[in-house]
Structure formats: structure tokens, C-alpha cells
Amino acid sequence: MFSWPNTPAYTLTSIFLWVVFLAAVFGLHYGRAAGWPEPALWLLALTPAATVLIQTLYAYNHIARQDEFIRAITAKRIIVATGLTIMAVVAWSCVGIFAPLPDVPMWLVYPLFWAVFGMVTPLVKGGAVS
């Protein structure tokens, strides 16, 4: 049907940004344990946020070039995915007050959002959520 706008440039850029995102997160854990200098750790700590910003701007510009129908469907999918992601994070946090749930790093919210977006994409079509 109507999927996420897919071009080779968008796909390659997204893959590159995910690799940088994950490399920075894992590099930060390794660098902290290895005693890297604080400025390097700060740079690594801010890198995932920068990749999220770049990906968001890139996705926005990519969607803006689509026709009105595709933009509307994509917006609906993003709203549903955002709502479900926030619901999951709030539920985990609140249940964690009463149950012995493990702490989850906040950087996992971003991959969670895209995972949820991928799951709702086939369900959200032209009308309401199917």
C-alpha cells in the first residue's frame, strides 16, 4: 500500500545515522570504563542526540516533498507511534515504582519509537487505525 517514503539516499543516510548512534552509545560505555578524557565522553554523550536531530530533520524534509495524501498518512502513523511509545515508557516507569522492574536507559526510547512506527505502519492506512 503506502509505506514510508523509501529512496536509496534516505535509506543509506538512515543506516549511517543508526550506526553512528549505536557506536556512540557503546563507545560511551567503553570509553567511560576505559577512563577516556571527559571532553571525549561529552562528545560521545551528545552524538546520539545529534543523530536524532539530523534524522528528524531529514525525515521531515523527505516527508514534506511527498504529496498531501502520503504526508497525512505518515503524520497519522507518527502520531500513533509516538502515543504508543510514550504510553509504554510511562507504564514501565509507573509500574517500576511498585514492581522490581529493571531500569532501562532512556536512549532506548528512540529505537523503541522506530520499532513501534514499523509495527503500526501496516495498520494505519488512509482512514482510521485499521
Side-chain angles (χ1 to χ4, degrees), residues 18 21 52 81-82 84-90 104-117:
W18 273 106
F21 178 94
V52 171
T82 301
L84 291 174
T85 301
I86 292 170
M87 179 209 62
V89 171
V90 168
V104 177
M106 292 302 297
W107 65 265
L108 287 172
V109 173
Y110 185 61
L112 174 64
F113 165 77
W114 283 110
V116 172
F117 181 83

Side-chain angles (χ1 to χ4, degrees), residues 19-90:
V19 168
V20 171
F21 178 94
L22 293 172
V25 169
F26 293 115
L28 183 59
H29 286 285
Y30 174 79
R32 186 169 175 222
W36 288 2
E38 195 169 314
L41 294 175
W42 273 101
L43 181 63
L44 281 174
L46 295 174
T47 299
T51 65
V52 171
L53 176 63
I54 293 166
Q55 177 68 32
T56 301
L57 294 172
Y58 195 64
Y60 179 85
N61 288 330
H62 194 64
I63 294 165
R65 290 191 300 267
Q66 305 301 316
D67 65 41
E68 184 177 306
F69 182 71
I70 298 298
R71 285 194 310 266
I73 291 173
T74 304
K76 289 177 186 179
R77 291 170 177 168
I78 288 172
I79 291 168
V80 171
T82 301
L84 291 174
T85 301
I86 292 170
M87 179 209 62
V89 171
V90 168

